[in-house]
Every structure is written in C-alpha cells, then in structure tokens.
Amino acid sequence: MSYDYRKYKPFPPVSLPDRTWPDKTITKAPYWCSVDLRDGNQALPIPMSVEEKLELFELLLKIGFKEIEIGFPSASQTEFDYLRTLIDRNLIPDDVTIQLLTQSRDHLIRRSFEAIKGCKNVVMHFYNSTSTVQRDVVFQKDQKEIIKIAVEGATLIKKIAAEYPETNIRYEYSPESFTGTELEFAKEICEAVMDVLEPTPENQLILNLPATVEMHTPNIHADQIEWFSRNIKNRDCVLISLHTHNDRGTGVAAAELGLMAGADRVEGTLFGNGERTGNTDLITMAMNLYSQGVNPELDFSDIEHITKVYKSCTRMNVHERHPYVGELVYTAFSGSHQDAIKKGLDKYKSGTTGFWDIPYLPLDPSDMGREYEAIIRINSQSGKGGVAFILDSQFGYKLPKAMHPEFSRKIQMITDETGKELKGAEIFEEFSKEYLTVKSPWSLVKYEIKASMDVDTNGEEKNTVGISCSLKYKGELMTVDGQGNGPIDAFFHALQSTSAPKVHFLSYDEHALSEGADSQAVCYIQVADSKGRSYFGVGVDSSINAASLKALLCAVNRIEANSK
C-alpha cells in the first residue's frame, strides 16, 4: 500500500504582515445565497425532479433566503423547464432574486437569457476557471487567454441584458478555483470584468471568490480575502462573495474568517450538501451567529420540518452529530455532564440570569424546535443527575438531592447488566416498581386523624395530633393508634408499636405533581434502619396526609425487602 506524505506540498502562506482580520468580530449577518438547487443538486446521486426542486424552493423561501441559485438552465431541458415553471407559475416573490449559473461561453449565455424571460429579479452568474492547475492541465491556456474568456462573456452578457428592460439583472463573476489562483491574477481578471460591466456603488458587481477546492487552513483563506478586498479597485462598486467547500473539513470556519476579512456575502447549502465533502453549511454558520447574539436573518426554528423536507427532496441523511441538528447533539451520556446540565437549567429557570449559559449546551434546543426531553439519555455511563432530570422533566417527580444516589444505583445496575440505553418510560417504570407500587408487606387501608390541644407542665399550649389506622401486614388486618405533633409524627409512633422495622426519621420533602387544583401531592420520606442505612419512601395521593403516610410505609417496606 502506498502512503507517502512526501508527494504533497504545503500551501504557501500569503504575505500580509499587517493583516487586520484576527481582531475583527462578526456583528451582523452577511448577504446569504442558497445554492442548494444548483451546487447541492448537481452533487446528488439522483438529482431532484422538478417537483422536488419546487418543494425545496418553497422551503428556502420560508427560511428567509432572498437570493437563491436555481441551477444551470442552459445545461439541460430539465433545468430550463424548472426555471420556466417558477416564472410561469409566478412562484418567485417580488423581493426574492433568483440566480442562475453559466459558463462564460456564447451559446450557454444565450440559452440562459432565454430561460429568464418574464422574471423580475435575476443574478446572471458567469464563471471560468482561473487556477494554475486548471490553466495548465485542463485548458492549456495562458493568463491572457483566460482573461479573454471572461471579458468576452461579460461583454455578451451586458449586451443581451439590454434586451431585457423589464428584468432587474445584476451580475456576478466567479474566478473559479480562486484559492488556487495567484492573487495578482485573480485581481487582474476581476478588474478586466469590472471594466466591461462598469459597476457602481448603487449597482454593485458580485465578485464571488470560490474555494472550489479547499486547499489550505482557514487563516490563509482569510488572508486571501483581506488581500483581495484591500487591493481590488473601486471596492465600493463590488460585493465580495464567498463560496467555500469543505475538503479539509473547515468550510464553515473559512467562511467565518472570510467575513472577518472583509467579505459581504456567503453562498452555501443546507447541511453543507455539495460536491465531494460539500459546501459551507448555512445552518451551522447561521446558528453560530445566533449563538453569539447576532441575528442571522434566517429562520431555523422548525429544524425538524426543515430536516424532513431536505431528506425527502435530496434522499440524503443528516448525521447524528451534525451541529445543532443531529439527533444526539442535545444528548448527554456522561453522568457529570448530566448533573451540570440539570444545575444549569435549574438556575436558568429561576430567572437569576438573563442569558443562556448552560454547561455543555451552547444553544437552547427549544430555539430550534427541539425538546428538553431529548437532552439527557441514560446508559451505563450516566450519573445520578441525569436520572433525576428525566423524572423531573418528563414525569414531574422532583427527587430530593439526597435521593439521587439511591435510585440511580438501581438504574446503573440495570444498564450495566443489559448494556443498553434506558428511555424515559423505562426509567419511570423502574421508579414505580421501586417506590410507587410497593404495597407489601405493609399497606394502608384507612386512617382517621384527630387534633387536640393540651397544656404542658409549664402551662403552655401544646398541639397534639392523634391517628387511628387500619393496616394490613401480609394480608392480616390490624388497627394501631399513635400520637405526635403532626400526622406524620403520629403515624410514625403508631408504626413503632407494631412489628415493623424500627427506623429513625431523617427528612421529609413534598411537592405538587402538576399544576391545578386537582393535582396530586408527592411526598418523599427518608429514614434510617437500625444499622444506620438510609432508605427513601415515596407516596402519591390527592391528600397530602395520605401521601405522607404512604411514603413512610414505602420506606418501611423497602427496608423489610432489603433485609431478606
């Protein structure tokens, strides 16, 4: 097997010692252009049908794109018919510009213009390859010959555009494979195109500088963009656009640094779908801005619907770890992560902070239509905080902190034995078996509480509660009585007169299981047995007193069960 790193040469850096982009911050959204219907579509094993492209076009409009590249109408009859369908059915809103791509070749340019008749707003995007390897290997032309191709294309486009006064036509030129082109030559060919099209500050030419192949680190891309932005003539007459690919896995980073370096516009696709490893992922890039408090001016709040349409139209999948969108990106398996997330969410919900600042969650999942229930999932690596979060967020049981280790040990035993993840319903089933359905050997049949007031030896008033209970022990009915300073204390003393395990009362917690007058009460009672071992009991009832008595019996039953 050949594996020789020496056959590759490093990309030369850009000489820009006074670069300024590292100190810049992105404070506003760029102009966005979706190329899903062109760059994305041409990279599909099975290209989209006209109807599928129409469905995806509608989705792009809902997201908020104002510029959408719809394809190569000169490349095939299908592409031509698709654009005509958009125009003839009046499906393009007045504030949306469609963009079409054509090589800088005479017959392709003419065919492209035939396709736009009757369209209101169009970007005529033309290109030719300019990189050293394309000039030498593919076209075998020198720089002057390559410039001639671009100039002739620009001249023809400008001439034919004058025949379409009813259409607002803007121009975009791409020196394809810009990243592999000498910067001085890229500047020269773009300025030659500018001389023909004569852009103004009011009618800017889009100069798209594509990283057709990602050839270097994002910082070098930023240097290239800053150099170009500084040196191109009449900078106010051009809009610098980025079109990064992801061959090195840093397409989004390159586009972000390119914006910091002076670019104005970004072309990309949903989920980064495109040739080879794909394009700039516009979802990731937009949500990166959003997570920094910048309005991305694109709406991904219903990401589940967006994903569904994307999958249906493209027949592509979305990786489980895709940033912001993947099935697992809001899921914490680590116990320490789960505990930190729960604490962070509790603090955020308390309203003590105005900003989202949750450990391990850089974005609020609900902003993208995701549910908190999916944040924590339980397996053998999970911790006590994760189990407690599931019971709280999905079922309303707010376990006392001291109870977390007790129940999580039960769950860990199950996940260790099975090696599988437990869903919320499975966790609650185990919780019910351990605490809520425990009715033997001791169970409560009925009870009666009587309150009285006595005077102690010091002459002070003293409230006393008496309780009379009917209990079953292993099926046998008995009646017991007790007194105390409250119903729980009275019942506690009543139990001590039976054969039930002798316990020491440790703690009591309660809360409503849900909102509303008909909500049930949940009580948690912690006791210690004769050996000092701690046990919790849980009781649920519409009566807070009944819930408390059930919780104490639950703890006693668990002690007996564990003493066998």
Side-chain angles (χ1 to χ4, degrees):
M1 183 180 69
S2 175
Y3 187 76
D4 186 2
Y5 64 89
R6 292 169 296 184
K7 65 184 178 184
Y8 301 102
K9 60 181 179 181
F11 196 92
V14 177
S15 179
L16 197 67
D18 59 341
R19 60 181 58 83
T20 62
W21 64 261
D23 295 322
K24 299 293 180 62
T25 302
I26 303 173
T27 58
K28 64 178 182 178
Y31 296 103
W32 300 107
C33 178
S34 160
V35 295
D36 290 87
L37 297 168
R38 195 277 301 171
D39 207 337
N41 184 57
Q42 74 184 47
L44 296 175
I46 303 175
M48 287 180 276
S49 67
V50 169
E51 290 305 316
E52 287 168 338
K53 292 184 79 171
L54 289 173
E55 184 179 4
L56 188 56
F57 181 78
E58 181 65 26
L59 176 67
L60 296 171
L61 294 179
K62 289 181 179 179
I63 291 171
F65 287 100
K66 299 302 180 184
E67 294 182 11
I68 301 173
E69 188 168 88
I70 52 83
F72 279 100
S74 61
S76 70
Q77 191 63 42
T78 300
E79 293 283 288
F80 188 96
D81 291 343
Y82 168 63
L83 177 52
R84 290 310 316 166
T85 300
L86 288 176
I87 297 170
D88 295 340
R89 293 189 190 176
N90 197 28
L91 299 177
I92 306 171
D94 290 344
D95 64 342
V96 171
T97 299
I98 58 113
Q99 180 171 300
L100 56 150
L101 187 64
T102 177
Q103 290 182 353
S104 187
R105 298 172 64 184
D106 187 291
H107 70 287
L108 298 178
I109 290 171
R110 293 183 185 278
R111 181 64 168 165
S112 298
F113 272 100
E114 290 175 15
I116 68 168
K117 186 176 181 180
C119 191
K120 294 183 178 66
N121 300 297
V122 175
V123 170
M124 190 63 69
H125 181 189
F126 66 106
Y127 73 97
N128 63 307
S129 296
T130 60
S131 69
T132 56
V133 68
Q134 292 271 16
R135 298 195 315 258
D136 296 343
V137 175
V138 180
F139 300 104
Q140 299 179 353
K141 295 181 182 295
D142 61 23
Q143 291 184 354
K144 289 185 178 179
E145 291 173 302
I146 296 295
I147 291 175
K148 181 182 178 183
I149 295 172
V151 168
E152 288 178 347
T155 303
L156 180 60
I157 285 173
K158 184 178 180 180
K159 177 184 176 182
I160 300 177
E163 302 172 8
Y164 290 77
E166 76 283 0
T167 302
N168 174 30
I169 299 177
R170 298 163 58 202
Y171 307 119
E172 177 176 349
Y173 173 68
S174 289
E176 188 195 9
S177 299
F178 164 79
T179 46
T181 303
E182 306 92 331
L183 288 173
E184 289 286 355
F185 179 56
K187 171 179 175 292
E188 182 181 358
I189 195 170
C190 287
E191 289 182 346
V193 170
M194 292 171 66
D195 290 341
V196 174
L197 298 177
E198 300 179 300
T200 66
E202 295 74 32
N203 188 22
Q204 294 174 307
L205 166 66
I206 301 171
L207 289 178
N208 190 50
L209 307 179
T212 310
V213 178
E214 189 174 38
M215 306 172 70
H216 43 56
T217 51
N219 61 299
I220 292 180
H221 182 256
D223 283 345
Q224 290 176 322
I225 300 303
E226 181 167 343
W227 185 96
F228 188 92
S229 183
R230 282 195 204 176
N231 289 281
I232 191 72
K233 70 177 183 180
N234 301 330
R235 176 64 178 87
D236 62 337
C237 296
V238 298
L239 203 66
I240 293 180
S241 178
L242 304 175
H243 183 112
T244 59
H245 278 253
N246 201 44
D247 298 272
R248 293 171 53 91
T250 56
V252 169
E256 289 179 328
L257 297 192
L259 286 181
M260 293 162 60
D264 310 293
R265 182 176 184 266
V266 173
E267 296 186 350
T269 60
L270 302 180
F271 301 100
N273 179 43
E275 297 282 6
R276 305 179 307 281
T277 56
N279 292 48
T280 295
D281 179 357
L282 296 185
I283 297 176
T284 298
M285 190 165 179
M287 297 313 297
N288 282 356
L289 292 178
Y290 182 83
S291 70
Q292 299 301 303
V294 177
N295 181 3
E297 299 179 13
L298 295 175
D299 184 359
F300 294 109
S301 60
D302 191 1
I303 199 62
E304 298 292 346
H305 174 69
I306 292 169
T307 303
K308 180 180 178 181
V309 173
Y310 168 81
K311 287 181 176 181
S312 172
C313 291
T314 66
R315 301 174 183 83
M316 301 289 283
N317 291 318
V318 175
H319 196 279
E320 292 89 341
R321 300 294 183 188
H322 183 284
Y324 301 110
V325 183
E327 180 185 350
L328 298 178
V329 297
Y330 303 116
T331 303
F333 288 98
S334 163
S336 61
H337 289 201
Q338 293 166 356
D339 186 59
I341 289 171
K342 182 182 184 302
K343 291 175 180 175
L345 289 173
D346 287 345
K347 183 176 180 181
Y348 182 74
K349 291 175 182 177
S350 71
T352 56
T353 175
F355 292 98
W356 180 264
D357 190 18
I358 309 298
Y360 305 110
L361 284 180
L363 189 82
D364 184 347
S366 66
D367 289 347
M368 300 190 75
R370 300 287 290 270
E371 297 293 334
Y372 283 124
E373 285 79 3
I375 290 174
I376 292 179
R377 295 164 68 174
I378 307 302
N379 62 14
S380 61
Q381 302 300 307
S382 305
K384 55 186 182 296
V387 174
F389 183 86
I390 291 291
L391 290 173
D392 183 358
S393 62
Q394 295 188 24
F395 303 101
Y397 287 82
K398 305 179 187 299
L399 274 57
K401 189 170 181 59
M403 189 178 175
H404 293 186
E406 179 180 283
F407 183 55
S408 67
R409 282 194 296 269
K410 173 71 174 179
I411 296 299
Q412 185 123 31
M413 287 174 58
I414 296 171
T415 54
D416 280 339
E417 290 173 1
T418 63
K420 296 180 180 179
E421 172 192 327
L422 288 185
K423 304 297 185 183
E426 295 172 310
I427 292 169
F428 184 70
E429 182 181 358
E430 294 301 326
F431 180 76
S432 296
K433 287 193 295 186
E434 187 71 17
Y435 299 101
L436 303 182
T437 59
V438 180
K439 297 182 179 179
S440 63
W442 295 92
S443 61
L444 179 66
V445 178
K446 63 180 180 179
Y447 69 94
E448 182 181 4
I449 297 174
K450 295 181 180 180
S452 63
M453 183 179 294
D454 296 328
V455 178
D456 63 18
T457 55
N458 296 322
E460 295 181 359
E461 294 181 348
K462 181 180 179 181
N463 293 322
T464 301
V465 172
I467 192 167
S468 179
C469 304
S470 291
L471 301 175
K472 276 188 178 181
Y473 177 68
K474 295 182 179 181
E476 294 186 10
L477 190 65
M478 67 178 69
T479 300
V480 294
D481 300 294
Q483 287 188 327
N485 55 23
I488 301 174
D489 189 42
F491 186 60
F492 180 81
H493 286 102
L495 271 181
Q496 300 302 294
S497 66
T498 70
S499 61
K502 300 300 182 280
V503 297
H504 175 63
F505 194 90
L506 295 178
S507 69
Y508 170 87
D509 292 272
E510 55 90 8
H511 64 82
L513 192 55
S514 61
E515 296 181 356
D518 59 346
S519 174
Q520 291 189 304
V522 183
C523 292
Y524 310 89
I525 288 180
Q526 182 187 22
V527 299
D529 67 7
S530 58
K531 296 181 179 179
R533 294 173 299 192
S534 170
Y535 290 85
F536 272 90
V538 182
V540 180
D541 199 277
S542 57
S543 163
I544 186 66
N545 287 329
S548 302
L549 306 188
K550 289 179 180 180
L552 185 53
L553 278 182
C554 173
V556 169
N557 283 330
R558 294 185 67 242
I559 290 174
E560 288 212 11
N562 283 276
S563 65
K564 294 178 181 178

